[in-house]
Amino acid sequence: KGSSMSEPVLKVKDFTVEFWVDGTWYPAAVDMNFEVNPGQVLAIVGESGSGKSVSSLAIMGLLPKRISEVTKGSIQFEDKDLLNISEKGYQALRGNDISMIFQEPMSSLNPSMKCGHQVAELTKRHTSLSKSEIKKEVISLFDKVKLPEPERVFNAYPHEISGGQKQRVMIAMAISCKPKLLIADEPTTA
């Protein structure tokens, strides 16, 4: 959507973040450098604790404010400097232009709301489709992510489906608004 093929959609340059633990700042990600071009898949591989999830959360603007600090570098999404954007600016980007599939679907899904309705709520915020069109769109997304019996899953609560199915609901949610950048934090764990 909208980016020229020659310009990266995301540029992370010399990025370093530290966390405050027991009175000391500890590095969580150090000197990270990468670019993502439109249509490109980039995998970041590293040991546990090497900063993969921290980098993802930083791009999404979701690092805990009081105990973390970006001490160096920049994160550029298209023409926006993500380290100097307001919370309102981030809210406009999240879901629309940048989406994330989190590692743990159980902490991301509302246990008291049917799966299809959670995706429908998100879709409703970003489109002008009617209620019945949104339901069709969500069922189509569930089919696209290979959820068995998409109609049943639409009406199921998270505890009524398996961990792998919850993860697929999260993937459907993340792609529902056709983001320019999709971040997946170990999306195949379940």
Side-chain angles (χ1 to χ4, degrees):
K1 281 199 309 195
S3 283
S4 111
M5 285 307 276
S6 59
E7 273 300 303
V9 72
L10 178 73
K11 288 187 218 172
V12 176
K13 190 163 173 32
D14 300 325
F15 172 75
T16 297
V17 68
E18 297 182 15
F19 277 87
W20 182 256
V21 181
D22 295 330
T24 307
W25 286 101
Y26 288 95
V30 179
D31 291 332
M32 298 201 64
N33 286 283
F34 57 90
E35 290 184 354
V36 181
N37 292 302
Q40 180 184 19
V41 174
L42 171 73
I44 299 176
V45 181
E47 304 173 359
S48 181
S50 63
K52 302 179 304 290
S53 293
V54 166
S55 300
S56 299
L57 292 171
I59 293 165
M60 293 297 293
L62 296 173
L63 284 175
K65 304 247 184 289
R66 289 189 192 133
I67 61 163
S68 67
E69 186 176 314
V70 175
T71 55
K72 193 173 101 178
S74 64
I75 302 174
Q76 193 82 24
F77 174 75
E78 294 183 325
D79 59 346
K80 295 167 188 74
D81 174 359
L82 295 187
L83 296 179
N84 291 305
I85 194 171
S86 69
E87 183 53 36
K88 203 170 192 151
Y90 249 122
Q91 286 172 359
L93 284 177
R94 274 189 220 114
N96 280 326
D97 292 332
I98 305 174
S99 269
M100 183 165 173
I101 304 164
F102 292 92
Q103 193 170 345
E104 182 42 62
M106 268 320 287
S107 59
S108 303
L109 291 172
N110 181 337
S112 64
M113 196 173 176
K114 292 179 179 179
C115 294
H117 296 200
Q118 293 186 55
V119 183
E121 278 294 311
L122 188 64
T123 306
K124 186 168 71 178
R125 270 189 248 148
H126 298 281
T127 68
S128 57
L129 297 173
S130 72
K131 199 172 181 177
S132 64
E133 289 170 327
I134 288 173
K135 182 177 180 180
K136 273 188 206 156
E137 177 68 21
V138 172
I139 288 170
S140 169
L141 281 167
F142 283 179
D143 193 46
K144 196 178 281 186
V145 298
K146 308 272 191 275
L147 268 165
E149 304 174 81
E151 285 265 1
R152 181 189 62 79
V153 175
F154 185 93
N155 291 303
Y157 289 96
H159 72 273
E160 296 176 320
I161 61 176
S162 72
Q165 290 173 336
K166 286 182 196 66
Q167 193 69 340
R168 289 172 191 268
V169 169
M170 291 302 304
I171 293 167
M173 200 176 280
I175 64 173
S176 66
C177 297
K178 300 172 182 68
K180 295 175 186 176
L181 178 68
L182 178 62
I183 299 168
D185 189 3
E186 298 192 37
T188 59
T189 51

